């Protein structure tokens, strides 16, 4: 069930319709209930408890926002004006809506059930390997479809007319930035798997590389995996997404760095210096290609919306304006000189949008949880065995890609990508916890033969 959701959620226009949100929520809920039978280690139970506690606090604040006459000082003044103009006696609320929007509830349940489904799958090494293998294969198929569709039907999105981003590869997503994040995740997964084959090669010179039969098979795997990785990366370039390209390169840098650090065990200073040099090189290269070189990193409209968000946060810093109310709030913040083109139903920054809707404390909690999850998965990649190293390093790189991109766009608010990322993150956290537990378990003392006394047995 978890694999079905991971593979099919991006297919139907990113599953943005409420029907598909309901379908995947039901399917993942059943998967979560079935997964509860899986035994958990103590560290896994602690991570799961922290995640559930954070979700509980988020839901509690959302309920407080729509409870009438609870905190008069924080109520939205729109309720008082409504009662005065219409002669009603409606209870005032912190939120500008009387109820939490169904879409906001659906996205919350998708995050909860996707993470839990992936986490319970990750308690089994075999199931986790199968899940990651399906993730690699499905994203590659979406990339191939995107290339074919761009060449043969550039004005169509699946069976519907393509109304926006014509000339850009969007695969089965409506927005090219979400497609770029999705394809970037596939790029990281495939490159890490290819690099694992490269690390396994044993050769002293290029002439002797293919003389060993084992190396010949490894070289063939390396070529196939590299071709798949380059296919995903080429598709990513064709999306034309600036943020997706930059964040993918940084995520890939982190993932490969974790694999190199696990293999070579270099000093911390050498790792930091190499990382900074690689990041600077990537920055120089990216600044001269595509839309980044011609238009820069951000457009003026996005900066304006960020300013509106900061003003809304300043007005309601503690409990926010209400879950799912950003689209309702933004028109009251827009100025006359703001570009009227398009519909701004997202803040183009998930972190800022959470701070606007839920308040600064909840946004800070989300940021801390994201950083903690990245630290756990990265630690698991450094301490894991070779079999799990590429998967955990790739998930850490995908987390870097997703968290960075969520600060400048809304890919995490699209169910088709949210499901994929939450499942992989949950699986990675479960596997990382298991790897660290195994590393810390004391080894049994080796058998030591002792010269036996007369009539006694050897002792350990």
């Amino acid at each position: 069930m978890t694999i079905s959701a991971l593979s099919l959620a991006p297919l139907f226009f990113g599953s943005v319709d409420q029907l598909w949100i309901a379908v995947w929520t039901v399917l993942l809920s059943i998967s979560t209930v079935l997964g509860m039978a899986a035994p958990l280690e103590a560290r896994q139970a602690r991570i799961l408890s922290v995640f559930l506690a954070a979700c509980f606090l988020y839901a509690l604040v959302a309920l407080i926002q729509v409870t009438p006459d609870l905190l008069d000082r924080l109520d939205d003044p729109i309720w008082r004006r409504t009662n005065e103009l219409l002669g009603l006696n409606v209870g005032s609320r912190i939120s500008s809506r009387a109820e939490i929007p169904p879409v906001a509830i659906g996205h919350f349940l998708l995050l909860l059930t996707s993470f839990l489904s992936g986490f319970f799958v990750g308690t089994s090494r075999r199931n986790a390997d199968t899940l990651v293998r399906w993730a690699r294969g499905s994203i590659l198929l979406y990339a191939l479809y995107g290339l074919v569709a761009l060449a043969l039907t550039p004005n169509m999105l699946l069976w519907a007319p393509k109304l926006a981003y014509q000339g850009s590869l969007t695969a089965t997503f409506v927005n090219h930035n979400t497609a770029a994040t999705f394809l970037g995740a596939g790029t990281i997964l495939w490159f890490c798997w290819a690099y694992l084959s490269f690390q396994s090669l044993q050769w002293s010179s290029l002439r002797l590389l293919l003389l060993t039969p084992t190396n010949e098979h490894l070289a063939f795997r390396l070529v196939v995996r590299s071709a798949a990785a380059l296919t995903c990366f080429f598709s990513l370039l064709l999306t034309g997404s600036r943020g997706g390209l930059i964040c993918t390169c940084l995520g890939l840098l982190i993932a490969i760095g974790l694999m190199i650090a696990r293999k070579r065990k270099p000093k911390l200073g050498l790792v930091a210096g190499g990382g900074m040099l690689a990041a600077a090189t990537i920055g120089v290269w990216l600044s001269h290609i595509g839309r980044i070189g011609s238009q820069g990193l951000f457009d003026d409209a996005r900066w304006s919306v960020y300013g509106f968000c900061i003003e809304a946060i300043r007005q309601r810093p503690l409990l926010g304006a209400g879950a799912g109310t950003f689209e309702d709030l933004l028109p009251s913040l827009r100025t006359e000189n703001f570009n009227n083109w398009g519909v701004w139903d997202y803040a183009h920054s998930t972190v800022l949008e959470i701070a606007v809707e839920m308040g600064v404390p909840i946004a800070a909690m989300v940021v801390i949880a994201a950083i903690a999850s990245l630290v756990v998965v990265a630690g698991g990649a450094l301490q894991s065995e070779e079999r799990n190293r590429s998967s955990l390093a790739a998930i850490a790189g995908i987390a870097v890609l997703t968290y960075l991109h969520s600060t400048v766009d809304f890919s995490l608010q699209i169910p088709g990508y949210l499901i994929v990322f939450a499942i992989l993150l949950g699986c990675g956290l479960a596997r990382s916890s298991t790897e660290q537990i195994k590393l810390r378990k004391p080894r049994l003392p080796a058998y030591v033969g002792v010269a036996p006394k007369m009539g006694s047995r050897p002792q350990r």
Side-chain angles (χ1 to χ4, degrees):
M1 290 182 177
T2 305
I3 286 175
S4 298
L6 180 143
S7 304
L8 298 177
L11 178 59
F12 308 104
F13 306 100
S15 296
V16 293
D17 291 337
Q18 293 190 30
L19 172 63
W20 288 113
I21 293 176
V23 169
W24 300 129
T25 300
V26 171
L27 183 66
L28 290 169
S29 297
I30 297 173
S31 175
T32 299
V33 172
L34 296 176
M36 289 180 180
L40 298 179
E41 300 281 355
R43 186 178 175 87
Q44 292 174 333
R46 286 196 297 270
I47 292 177
L48 198 57
S49 299
V50 171
F51 173 76
L52 292 176
C55 292
F56 173 78
L57 290 176
Y58 192 99
L60 180 61
V61 171
L63 291 174
I64 291 174
Q65 291 172 337
V66 295
T67 302
D69 301 322
L70 186 61
L71 298 171
D72 295 338
R73 292 188 302 104
L74 300 178
D75 287 344
D76 193 318
I78 193 174
W79 297 104
R80 178 178 53 81
R81 292 199 298 267
T82 300
N83 291 331
E84 293 175 353
L85 291 174
L86 302 180
L88 301 176
N89 189 23
V90 179
S92 299
R93 296 166 173 82
I94 297 173
S95 173
S96 58
R97 287 183 175 235
E99 298 175 349
I100 303 174
V103 173
I105 297 176
H107 288 182
F108 175 80
L109 293 177
L110 277 182
L111 172 64
L112 178 64
T113 55
S114 299
F115 181 91
L116 292 177
S117 298
F119 193 90
F120 290 133
V121 168
T123 58
S124 166
R125 171 178 291 183
R126 183 182 65 178
N127 291 343
D129 292 342
T130 303
L131 180 70
V132 174
R133 185 163 58 249
W134 272 89
R136 281 194 296 259
S138 62
I139 296 176
L140 177 62
L141 290 178
Y142 282 110
L144 291 172
Y145 165 77
L147 292 172
V148 173
L150 184 63
L152 300 181
T153 57
N155 297 323
M156 298 291 293
L157 178 60
L158 294 176
W159 54 85
K162 195 172 186 179
L163 302 179
Y165 306 109
Q166 295 188 9
S168 297
L169 188 149
T170 60
T172 57
F173 292 93
V174 177
N175 188 280
H176 71 145
N177 293 310
T178 308
T181 312
F182 179 71
L183 296 171
T187 300
I188 295 173
L189 284 168
W190 279 104
F191 265 120
C192 287
W193 207 30
Y195 188 76
L196 183 64
S197 298
F198 177 77
Q199 286 184 325
S200 301
L201 289 174
Q202 302 292 332
W203 51 285
S204 57
S205 67
L206 291 176
R207 287 187 301 172
L208 301 178
L209 175 60
L210 297 179
L211 294 182
T212 305
T214 304
N215 280 349
E216 184 177 355
H217 294 297
L218 286 173
F220 178 75
R221 293 178 185 174
L222 176 61
V223 171
V224 172
R225 296 172 184 178
S226 299
L230 290 173
T231 300
C232 292
F233 185 71
F234 183 62
S235 302
L236 166 63
L237 290 176
L238 292 178
T239 62
S241 172
R242 296 165 290 181
L245 178 59
I246 294 173
C247 296
T248 297
C249 291
L250 293 176
L252 181 60
L253 173 64
I254 296 297
I256 299 299
L258 289 173
M259 298 186 70
I260 294 175
R262 174 66 179 85
K263 188 75 173 179
R264 305 294 181 183
K265 296 182 179 180
K267 295 181 179 180
L268 180 61
L270 182 61
V271 173
M276 293 176 63
L277 180 60
T281 304
I282 291 174
V284 173
W285 171 62
L286 291 176
S287 63
H288 291 84
I289 65 172
R291 293 179 63 206
I292 302 174
S294 60
Q295 301 179 18
L297 294 177
F298 297 100
D299 51 79
D300 294 337
R302 190 168 305 194
W303 280 117
S304 299
V305 172
Y306 292 165
F308 301 155
C309 291
I310 294 174
E311 175 62 22
I313 295 170
R314 187 187 64 80
Q315 295 175 3
R316 304 176 184 182
L318 186 59
L319 294 178
T325 60
F326 174 82
E327 187 177 0
D328 304 328
L329 180 65
L330 182 62
S332 66
L333 300 173
R334 296 172 71 154
T335 58
E336 294 181 357
N337 57 354
F338 182 72
N339 187 357
N340 292 322
W341 182 86
V343 178
W344 286 84
D345 47 358
Y346 298 105
H348 287 261
S349 174
T350 303
V351 178
L352 277 178
E353 190 164 331
I354 292 175
V356 170
E357 295 183 351
M358 306 300 295
V360 174
I362 292 296
M365 179 193 71
V366 171
V367 171
I368 293 172
I371 295 174
S373 67
L374 179 58
V375 171
V376 172
V377 177
L382 290 174
Q383 299 175 4
S384 66
E385 301 172 357
E386 182 174 354
R387 183 177 176 181
N388 289 330
R389 191 188 317 149
S390 66
S391 298
L392 292 178
I395 292 175
I398 293 172
V400 172
L401 154 66
T402 306
Y403 293 151
L404 288 178
H405 196 259
S406 66
T407 62
V408 295
D409 223 307
F410 53 86
S411 296
L412 268 181
Q413 295 167 261
I414 303 301
Y417 183 71
L418 172 65
I419 292 173
V420 174
F421 172 71
I423 289 175
L424 289 176
L425 181 64
C427 179
L429 285 172
R431 293 310 311 154
S432 299
S433 304
T434 302
E435 294 297 328
Q436 294 183 20
I437 289 170
K438 289 181 178 180
L439 186 66
R440 294 176 182 178
K441 281 185 177 179
R443 295 182 179 180
L444 294 175
Y447 178 81
V448 180
V450 180
K453 297 180 181 179
M454 293 298 294
S456 63
R457 297 179 180 178
Q459 299 177 353
R460 286 187 182 273

